[in-house]
Amino acid sequence: MPVAEPAILQKLQKREPSGFLLASVRGVGQVDLQPLIWTGLFILAALWSAGWRVGLFATLGTVVSTATAYALGVNRSNIALGLQGYSGCLTGIALVVFLGHHPATYVLAVIGAIMATLLTSTLTTLLSPYGLTALTAPFCLVSGVMVIGAPSFERIWHGAPKQVNPTSGDTGMSWHDLWHGFFTNVSQIFLVEEWYVGLIMLVGLACAGVRVGLFAAGGSIVGIVAAWALGAPTAQIAAGIYGYNAVLVAIAIGAVFLTPTVWNGVYALVGAAATTGLTASLTSLFKPFGGHTFTWPFILTTWTLMAAVPLFSRLRRTG
């Protein structure tokens, strides 16, 4: 991972508001594993373009998670990179998407963002000996528990959650389905189905570097091809349901954790294809008890691939 600029670290150490805000913006970009300010700004703009509720809850979750890390004395360089804000960002979005816009949702978003920060530290401690990172697991754990438990509480539950994972339907593909799926594979990382949101996010990812942009695009294409080859419903491919985890795996393995070699690139794209099948499996696993897939396929695939790297002589980690 890139190191934070000395100026940013200095502002955090001096407790300047601008340093905190920059760290929060980076937290939005870190959902896609990118600490670049411009990437965070583009993604945040894309989320607000999807609707003020999505933008507001993404911002709320990121700010609260970052503030919690600051209050608890987490390492300043870690905060500056945005590594304490991204799970809070996703948690805020998930809660408003699945529980609806209600005063209770604001309270839950704050609590969820705080818990996401705590779980980030817990998982970092547990996984560090194995050379693995928490990724978005804190978000999945916190949001999963809250959404599953919500129907039991009258003041929290306000209707059926958004349904995004049917398992059957037409499998024919049109040009519209292809280009729409290409962009929504990126936006669905943030639980948004609008293609233009994915386009803005891709621009932000391209700002982080050619390699990042190419692997994001490559992961999206691989996700579409793999889902179509397996016979996934066309509507779900076009909505990005089967491809967003592939985008994350491609970025993580191909552009962040491993060095830029041909072998590493192939490894990343193979992982992107594998996570497409895992998405369907986990969706079926969670469905009976009202759970949601979220980014679990990305997490499990990336952990598996990275844990295997030390035994493969052709693969090299960064750093």
Side-chain angles (χ1 to χ4, degrees), residues 28-45:
V28 178
Q30 281 286 10
V31 172
D32 287 325
L33 298 99
Q34 303 306 313
L36 186 71
I37 288 295
W38 282 108
T39 301
L41 287 173
F42 269 104
I43 293 176
L44 188 59

Side-chain angles (χ1 to χ4, degrees), residues 4-12 16-30 34-41 44 62-63 66 78-83 85:
E5 292 93 335
I8 300 302
L9 293 177
Q10 185 177 11
K11 287 178 179 179
L12 281 168
E16 293 182 4
S18 59
F20 172 77
L21 292 176
L22 289 174
S24 297
V25 172
R26 288 174 185 268
V28 178
Q30 281 286 10
Q34 303 306 313
L36 186 71
I37 288 295
W38 282 108
T39 301
L41 287 173
L44 188 59
T62 307
V63 169
T66 303
N78 192 280
I79 297 175
L81 283 170
L83 294 173

Side-chain angles (χ1 to χ4, degrees), residues 4-111:
E5 292 93 335
I8 300 302
L9 293 177
Q10 185 177 11
K11 287 178 179 179
L12 281 168
Q13 291 165 354
K14 292 181 177 180
R15 303 186 179 184
E16 293 182 4
S18 59
F20 172 77
L21 292 176
L22 289 174
S24 297
V25 172
R26 288 174 185 268
V28 178
Q30 281 286 10
V31 172
D32 287 325
L33 298 99
Q34 303 306 313
L36 186 71
I37 288 295
W38 282 108
T39 301
L41 287 173
F42 269 104
I43 293 176
L44 188 59
L47 291 172
W48 278 93
S49 74
W52 69 268
R53 290 181 177 86
V54 172
L56 177 60
F57 275 82
T59 303
L60 176 64
T62 307
V63 169
V64 171
S65 282
T66 303
T68 301
Y70 185 84
L72 293 175
V74 175
N75 181 274
R76 294 291 187 267
S77 62
N78 192 280
I79 297 175
L81 283 170
L83 294 173
Q84 297 298 319
Y86 64 93
S87 283
C89 174
L90 289 174
T91 298
I93 297 172
L95 292 177
V96 74
V97 167
F98 291 104
L99 301 184
H101 184 252
H102 187 273
T105 310
Y106 286 90
V107 176
L108 288 178
V110 171
I111 296 172

Side-chain angles (χ1 to χ4, degrees), residues 120-164:
T120 296
S121 295
T122 300
L123 291 175
T124 298
T125 301
L126 294 175
L127 295 171
S128 292
Y130 305 99
L132 303 176
T133 60
L135 301 176
T136 51
F139 146 66
C140 289
L141 291 170
V142 173
S143 299
V145 168
M146 286 186 163
V147 172
I148 290 173
S152 299
F153 302 104
E154 184 178 345
R155 291 188 176 87
I156 294 175
W157 186 245
H158 307 291
K162 177 182 177 183
Q163 297 295 323
V164 294

